[in-house]
Amino acid sequence: MCRTELGKAGADLSQVLERPGAMSSAEFAAGWLSGAAGLALGHPIDTVKVRLQTQAGYRSILDCLIRTYRHEKVFGFFKGMSFPLLSIAMVNSVMFGAYSNALLFLSNTPHRERSARPPSYPHIFMAGCFSGLVQATVLAPVDLIKVRLQNQTHPYSRRGLPLGAQPRYRGPVHCAASILREEGIPGLFRGGSALVIRDTPTMAAYFLSYTGICRGLTAEGQEPGPATVFLAGGCAGTASWALATPMDVVKARLQMDGVKGVKYRGILDCILTSARQEGVQVFLKGLSLNSLRAFPVNAVTFLSYESILKVLC
């Protein structure tokens, strides 16, 4: 009698986990954990990239690396990371969760069944666009604070610094409070429109390229192995960041615009002014670093995401 009831309970639990809603919740959790892993791996390179895009004083990537280390030591490369470690992990969770739920709505195919019943590429494209739109909306204030902190070229501590060299922001909470006080709630979303333009199409390219590579390297009806997931994730990240870099430059400049007064009147003005002053090559600033960072970060992100899903689902 007890064995029968135990077996029934196990079957009920299996049915719960197989429901689309349960799978989507698991994907939110897997996205959170994989996002934290990817952020920890890629943040130092991201700091150098942001400084190159927004500050004109560096002659090259190596010059930025040397000067950052000389003035701020190793901790300089991790500026702005404590806040995003929790918040960007959440954003990554939203990205994967939004994509999964949108794809589930469009194709009625839960994650576990996508190898046997693969969704169409148009559905993947639309789900990716939706994911990018949702991610950009949630990410905007977090990314703004990260960029502002990454652009500070001196330690948070005020001790030993002359009055004029003291940091503008003492940390993420102080940064957020200062922006709210000086620029109001809209200030937290500075550069948000550029972020939406950057992320909406690039997330579609991200998931399309990942899915396409996985399908191309995997036998029909089979699940991709860890090596395939790692390679596909890395290539998808590199391709999407190559597409995103021009608008990433514009976004970063608009985000820093509030620090020393308004310089740009909007996205178009930022594009025209930057191109006129520095040439069209300005929109490729950070491309090599984005590509260098994108492959390992997204390879690890997708591999950990898929591995965690197998455990949870």
Side-chain angles (χ1 to χ4, degrees):
M1 185 78 172
C2 289
R3 287 183 180 178
T4 304
E5 290 176 355
L6 185 61
K8 184 179 179 182
D12 290 342
L13 179 60
S14 272
Q15 288 174 1
V16 168
L17 288 175
E18 286 172 2
R19 290 174 189 166
M23 299 287 264
S24 299
S25 300
E27 291 182 6
F28 274 104
W32 186 301
L33 295 172
S34 62
L39 175 68
L41 180 63
H43 194 83
I45 301 176
D46 186 62
T47 297
V48 177
K49 180 264 299 184
V50 166
R51 291 186 176 188
L52 287 171
Q53 288 179 336
T54 58
Q55 300 180 30
Y58 300 111
R59 296 188 300 271
S60 64
I61 295 171
L62 183 60
D63 181 48
C64 184
L65 285 167
I66 292 171
R67 288 169 61 181
T68 299
Y69 180 77
R70 182 184 299 152
H71 296 298
E72 305 163 67
K73 305 304 178 188
V74 174
F75 297 106
F77 297 102
F78 291 90
K79 276 192 172 175
M81 181 175 166
S82 58
F83 182 53
L85 191 57
L86 293 176
S87 50
I88 287 187
M90 177 196 70
V91 170
N92 206 69
S93 169
V94 169
M95 177 192 76
F96 277 110
Y99 171 75
S100 175
N101 278 282
L103 197 56
L104 183 63
F105 174 79
L106 292 167
S107 66
N108 197 31
T109 308
H111 186 275
R112 185 181 291 180
E113 299 175 17
R114 286 174 194 164
S115 295
R117 294 193 296 130
S120 68
Y121 284 114
H123 285 165
I124 293 169
F125 176 82
M126 288 187 285
C129 286
F130 176 74
S131 171
L133 177 63
V134 173
Q135 173 188 256
T137 304
V138 177
L139 178 62
V142 177
D143 192 61
L144 175 70
I145 293 168
K146 175 185 74 71
V147 167
R148 293 277 179 97
L149 292 175
Q150 285 176 320
N151 270 288
Q152 291 195 149
T153 56
H154 36 243
Y156 292 144
S157 174
R158 295 185 171 193
R159 278 178 259 176
L161 290 173
L163 184 62
Q166 291 182 358
R168 183 183 180 93
Y169 306 119
R170 297 192 297 271
V173 175
H174 180 253
C175 180
S178 298
I179 293 170
L180 276 172
R181 185 176 62 253
E182 296 166 9
E183 305 173 51
I185 292 177
L188 284 174
F189 290 86
R190 186 180 289 275
S193 298
L195 192 61
V196 168
I197 295 172
R198 185 196 76 176
D199 283 359
T200 302
T202 54
M203 282 299 101
Y206 185 58
F207 287 109
L208 275 173
S209 53
Y210 172 75
T211 305
I213 293 170
C214 282
R215 289 182 184 177
L217 298 177
T218 307
E220 188 175 350
Q222 300 295 312
E223 291 188 1
T228 299
V229 170
F230 187 88
L231 177 63
C235 291
T238 302
S240 63
W241 269 109
L243 179 64
T245 295
M247 191 52 65
D248 189 51
V249 174
V250 176
K251 182 268 306 177
R253 294 187 170 206
L254 289 171
Q255 287 174 326
M256 289 302 297
D257 205 24
V259 176
K260 296 180 180 177
V262 176
K263 179 180 178 183
Y264 305 113
R265 294 190 299 272
I267 294 174
L268 183 59
D269 183 53
C270 180
I271 293 171
L272 295 175
T273 302
S274 298
R276 184 171 60 251
Q277 293 177 351
E278 303 172 60
V280 293
Q281 67 270 18
V282 67
F283 301 111
L284 298 180
K285 273 191 173 183
L287 176 60
S288 57
L289 283 172
N290 274 337
S291 301
L292 177 65
R293 176 177 63 103
F295 190 94
V297 166
N298 289 280
V300 167
T301 297
F302 264 110
L303 183 60
S304 55
Y305 172 75
E306 296 286 1
S307 301
I308 292 166
L309 267 187
K310 287 180 180 178
V311 173
L312 295 178
C313 298

PDB file of all heavy atoms in Angstrom, residues 224-237:
ATOM      1  N   PRO A 224      22.324  18.156 -27.969  1.00  0.00           N
ATOM      2  CA  PRO A 224      23.736  18.500 -28.185  1.00  0.00           C
ATOM      3  C   PRO A 224      24.579  18.168 -26.961  1.00  0.00           C
ATOM      4  O   PRO A 224      24.129  18.329 -25.824  1.00  0.00           O
ATOM      5  CB  PRO A 224      23.705  20.005 -28.455  1.00  0.00           C
ATOM      6  CG  PRO A 224      22.423  20.477 -27.846  1.00  0.00           C
ATOM      7  CD  PRO A 224      21.459  19.340 -27.977  1.00  0.00           C
ATOM      8  N   GLY A 225      25.806  17.680 -27.187  1.00  0.00           N
ATOM      9  CA  GLY A 225      26.711  17.361 -26.091  1.00  0.00           C
ATOM     10  C   GLY A 225      27.362  18.607 -25.522  1.00  0.00           C
ATOM     11  O   GLY A 225      27.250  19.705 -26.076  1.00  0.00           O
ATOM     12  N   PRO A 226      28.085  18.467 -24.402  1.00  0.00           N
ATOM     13  CA  PRO A 226      28.728  19.623 -23.750  1.00  0.00           C
ATOM     14  C   PRO A 226      29.680  20.386 -24.665  1.00  0.00           C
ATOM     15  O   PRO A 226      29.697  21.617 -24.650  1.00  0.00           O
ATOM     16  CB  PRO A 226      29.482  18.986 -22.578  1.00  0.00           C
ATOM     17  CG  PRO A 226      28.755  17.716 -22.294  1.00  0.00           C
ATOM     18  CD  PRO A 226      28.260  17.231 -23.616  1.00  0.00           C
ATOM     19  N   ALA A 227      30.468  19.663 -25.473  1.00  0.00           N
ATOM     20  CA  ALA A 227      31.413  20.334 -26.373  1.00  0.00           C
ATOM     21  C   ALA A 227      30.673  21.170 -27.417  1.00  0.00           C
ATOM     22  O   ALA A 227      31.092  22.287 -27.748  1.00  0.00           O
ATOM     23  CB  ALA A 227      32.313  19.308 -27.061  1.00  0.00           C
ATOM     24  N   THR A 228      29.568  20.642 -27.936  1.00  0.00           N
ATOM     25  CA  THR A 228      28.764  21.372 -28.914  1.00  0.00           C
ATOM     26  C   THR A 228      28.137  22.609 -28.295  1.00  0.00           C
ATOM     27  O   THR A 228      28.142  23.697 -28.889  1.00  0.00           O
ATOM     28  CB  THR A 228      27.656  20.460 -29.490  1.00  0.00           C
ATOM     29  OG1 THR A 228      28.263  19.348 -30.144  1.00  0.00           O
ATOM     30  CG2 THR A 228      26.775  21.212 -30.470  1.00  0.00           C
ATOM     31  N   VAL A 229      27.599  22.463 -27.085  1.00  0.00           N
ATOM     32  CA  VAL A 229      26.991  23.593 -26.373  1.00  0.00           C
ATOM     33  C   VAL A 229      28.035  24.675 -26.106  1.00  0.00           C
ATOM     34  O   VAL A 229      27.786  25.878 -26.302  1.00  0.00           O
ATOM     35  CB  VAL A 229      26.354  23.126 -25.046  1.00  0.00           C
ATOM     36  CG1 VAL A 229      25.943  24.316 -24.178  1.00  0.00           C
ATOM     37  CG2 VAL A 229      25.144  22.240 -25.324  1.00  0.00           C
ATOM     38  N   PHE A 230      29.229  24.259 -25.682  1.00  0.00           N
ATOM     39  CA  PHE A 230      30.314  25.203 -25.390  1.00  0.00           C
ATOM     40  C   PHE A 230      30.705  25.980 -26.651  1.00  0.00           C
ATOM     41  O   PHE A 230      30.801  27.213 -26.630  1.00  0.00           O
ATOM     42  CB  PHE A 230      31.527  24.431 -24.846  1.00  0.00           C
ATOM     43  CG  PHE A 230      32.651  25.296 -24.363  1.00  0.00           C
ATOM     44  CD1 PHE A 230      32.686  25.747 -23.056  1.00  0.00           C
ATOM     45  CD2 PHE A 230      33.689  25.654 -25.216  1.00  0.00           C
ATOM     46  CE1 PHE A 230      33.728  26.548 -22.600  1.00  0.00           C
ATOM     47  CE2 PHE A 230      34.727  26.449 -24.783  1.00  0.00           C
ATOM     48  CZ  PHE A 230      34.755  26.897 -23.460  1.00  0.00           C
ATOM     49  N   LEU A 231      30.900  25.263 -27.762  1.00  0.00           N
ATOM     50  CA  LEU A 231      31.289  25.896 -29.019  1.00  0.00           C
ATOM     51  C   LEU A 231      30.178  26.800 -29.549  1.00  0.00           C
ATOM     52  O   LEU A 231      30.438  27.950 -29.962  1.00  0.00           O
ATOM     53  CB  LEU A 231      31.624  24.824 -30.057  1.00  0.00           C
ATOM     54  CG  LEU A 231      31.996  25.328 -31.459  1.00  0.00           C
ATOM     55  CD1 LEU A 231      33.270  26.171 -31.420  1.00  0.00           C
ATOM     56  CD2 LEU A 231      32.155  24.157 -32.424  1.00  0.00           C
ATOM     57  N   ALA A 232      28.944  26.310 -29.535  1.00  0.00           N
ATOM     58  CA  ALA A 232      27.813  27.088 -30.052  1.00  0.00           C
ATOM     59  C   ALA A 232      27.583  28.343 -29.221  1.00  0.00           C
ATOM     60  O   ALA A 232      27.326  29.425 -29.763  1.00  0.00           O
ATOM     61  CB  ALA A 232      26.551  26.231 -30.081  1.00  0.00           C
ATOM     62  N   GLY A 233      27.693  28.209 -27.905  1.00  0.00           N
ATOM     63  CA  GLY A 233      27.512  29.369 -27.030  1.00  0.00           C
ATOM     64  C   GLY A 233      28.573  30.428 -27.271  1.00  0.00           C
ATOM     65  O   GLY A 233      28.269  31.620 -27.348  1.00  0.00           O
ATOM     66  N   GLY A 234      29.829  29.994 -27.414  1.00  0.00           N
ATOM     67  CA  GLY A 234      30.919  30.931 -27.676  1.00  0.00           C
ATOM     68  C   GLY A 234      30.761  31.642 -29.004  1.00  0.00           C
ATOM     69  O   GLY A 234      30.927  32.859 -29.106  1.00  0.00           O
ATOM     70  N   CYS A 235      30.434  30.888 -30.041  1.00  0.00           N
ATOM     71  CA  CYS A 235      30.257  31.488 -31.374  1.00  0.00           C
ATOM     72  C   CYS A 235      29.050  32.428 -31.401  1.00  0.00           C
ATOM     73  O   CYS A 235      29.099  33.503 -32.025  1.00  0.00           O
ATOM     74  CB  CYS A 235      30.074  30.394 -32.425  1.00  0.00           C
ATOM     75  SG  CYS A 235      31.575  29.415 -32.724  1.00  0.00           S
ATOM     76  N   ALA A 236      27.969  32.037 -30.731  1.00  0.00           N
ATOM     77  CA  ALA A 236      26.777  32.890 -30.678  1.00  0.00           C
ATOM     78  C   ALA A 236      27.084  34.205 -29.969  1.00  0.00           C
ATOM     79  O   ALA A 236      26.657  35.280 -30.405  1.00  0.00           O
ATOM     80  CB  ALA A 236      25.640  32.163 -29.965  1.00  0.00           C
ATOM     81  N   GLY A 237      27.833  34.121 -28.884  1.00  0.00           N
ATOM     82  CA  GLY A 237      28.204  35.334 -28.156  1.00  0.00           C
ATOM     83  C   GLY A 237      29.076  36.252 -28.991  1.00  0.00           C
ATOM     84  O   GLY A 237      28.868  37.474 -29.019  1.00  0.00           O
TER      85      GLY A 237
END
